[in-house]
Amino acid sequence: MNSLGIHKTALSVNINKIALLRNTRHLDVPNVLRAAELSLQAGARGITVHPRPDERHIRGSDVFEIAALMKDWPDREFNVEGNPLQNLMDFVRDLSARGLPIHQCTFVPDSHDQFTSDHGWSFPHDLLQLQPLIAQAHARGVRVSLFMDPVPAAMAAAKQAGADRVELYTESFASAFNSAHAIARVGTHAHARAQLQTVLARFVETAQAAIDVGLGINAGHDLNRANLTEFLIAVPGVQEVSIGHALIADALAMGLDASVKAYQACIDSAEISVKAKAENTVNLSVTSA
Ligand SMILES: CC(=O)[C@@H](O)[C@H](O)COP(=O)(O)O
Ligand SMILES: NCC(=O)COP(=O)(O)O
């Protein structure tokens, strides 16, 4: 956090989709480990993987190979996502037992055959089953982030469960952003812009509710180069964005190094805007005193 109380948002590159392409041939091409290394060399502050039970993309072996790579990058973070009621805790325990780094685990309530992550945890229903699992991760020195829908009232329960952070599930923002920026018929555009502001307001309220109870804030899902800066300008205190699908798709056109740097530029742009707004507020309060 800088002197104006502005967090530097860390970019964690999710490499699920590199593994998805790799799994379509028995050639180890593209190489998942190399993609992780290139992302770190390009400046990514972390790597995220989501080893789903069906291994449709990230395999168990990938998790241990990337963790071993992260030992060479002590100032970067490894974030492993998954359902702690399925296979995630096995990775938390095994990585820890082998002395391999895992800085954060993100609890995601996905079913085995889910197309993609599309909802967060439900409180108070999930609270009692999550508490001991969060404690197990903490006992191994692993930060816990809970994948959550933007519901301000759920933040207190996430804190009560023992979470360190919440990851705001940003699909509803991405969808509203697309609608607002689509070439719309006259009249619908104003409605779409209003709807985007309504959705953003919900994320701002949720982030403030998380801050108020002492939770850190991550964000992710369907973030891209078009919507990332607007989200980070609007939503306070985002410490990490984990981005995969769009970043890897962009890499197909511009290369992975350039894609990572382009997303970092979106983060930097948001920070400059937020800092300028904060300095302007300070100046105005001084001149009006
Ligand atoms: C939890 C989340 O939103 C993503 O990190 C998730 O990893 C996406 O999973 P797929 O890459 O399998 O769509
Ligand atoms: N937690 C979100 C993530 O890791 C990547 O989501 P996406 O950018 O692939 O939608």
Side-chain angles (χ1 to χ4, degrees):
M1 187 181 290
N2 64 24
S3 61
L4 292 165
I6 297 167
H7 282 288
K8 179 80 177 171
T9 303
L11 171 63
S12 186
V13 175
N14 182 312
I15 54 175
N16 290 353
K17 301 301 160 45
I18 298 287
L20 190 69
L21 181 58
R22 186 270 319 269
N23 290 359
T24 56
R25 287 288 172 87
H26 303 299
L27 298 172
D28 196 23
V29 174
N31 183 279
V32 168
L33 195 62
R34 181 65 179 141
E37 189 172 42
L38 284 170
S39 299
L40 295 167
Q41 288 170 346
R45 301 308 304 162
I47 298 295
T48 290
V49 295
H50 192 149
R52 295 181 180 274
D54 63 10
E55 294 198 323
R56 67 187 73 167
H57 40 54
I58 293 291
R59 296 167 174 159
S61 54
D62 295 320
V63 177
F64 294 97
E65 288 175 18
I66 294 163
L69 170 70
M70 297 307 292
K71 292 176 80 171
D72 299 334
W73 295 86
D75 64 335
R76 315 293 170 91
E77 289 204 347
F78 188 31
N79 174 40
V80 182
E81 299 181 330
N83 189 328
L85 304 171
Q86 295 171 3
N87 62 341
L88 178 64
M89 298 311 292
D90 294 335
F91 288 109
V92 173
R93 287 188 288 265
D94 292 350
L95 287 166
S96 175
R98 299 187 198 185
L100 292 170
I102 170 172
H103 303 87
Q104 175 177 271
C105 55
T106 300
F107 287 11
V108 187
D110 285 0
S111 61
H112 277 83
D113 57 355
Q114 200 160 313
F115 178 66
T116 187
S117 307
D118 62 9
H119 64 281
W121 294 98
S122 175
F123 289 123
H125 176 269
D126 297 329
L127 192 146
L128 289 179
Q129 63 184 349
L130 292 181
Q131 272 178 324
L133 299 170
I134 292 170
Q136 284 179 35
H138 283 165
R140 291 164 176 85
V142 182
R143 180 195 316 135
V144 176
S145 177
L146 296 183
F147 194 65
M148 299 292 289
D149 298 299
V151 177
M155 295 302 105
K159 182 65 176 180
Q160 186 185 351
D164 304 287
R165 297 189 187 178
V166 290
E167 176 177 344
L168 302 182
Y169 169 46
T170 48
E171 189 278 334
S172 59
F173 159 72
S175 177
F177 183 93
N178 287 343
S179 300
H181 289 264
I183 299 173
R185 293 186 306 282
V186 175
T188 55
H189 190 264
H191 172 72
R193 284 295 307 175
Q195 178 59 20
L196 174 59
Q197 293 313 310
T198 300
V199 169
L200 261 179
R202 189 159 64 235
F203 279 92
V204 172
E205 286 173 50
T206 305
Q208 192 55 59
I211 292 167
D212 290 348
V213 295
L215 284 167
I217 301 165
N218 294 342
H221 204 94
D222 287 342
L223 293 174
N224 58 42
R225 278 187 298 138
N227 65 28
L228 179 56
T229 301
E230 181 162 341
F231 182 83
L232 293 177
I233 289 172
V235 180
V238 178
Q239 294 166 272
E240 174 191 287
V241 287
S242 44
I243 305 175
H245 193 88
L247 189 151
I248 301 304
D250 285 338
L252 295 176
M254 62 171 67
L256 185 54
D257 177 82
S259 184
V260 170
K261 288 171 179 171
Y263 280 78
Q264 186 58 54
C266 293
I267 293 172
D268 295 346
S269 175
E271 189 184 332
I272 291 166
S273 175
V274 170
K275 186 177 177 183
K277 195 184 299 182
E279 288 171 341
N280 189 42
T281 303
V282 168
N283 294 339
L284 285 174
S285 61
V286 167
T287 51
S288 61

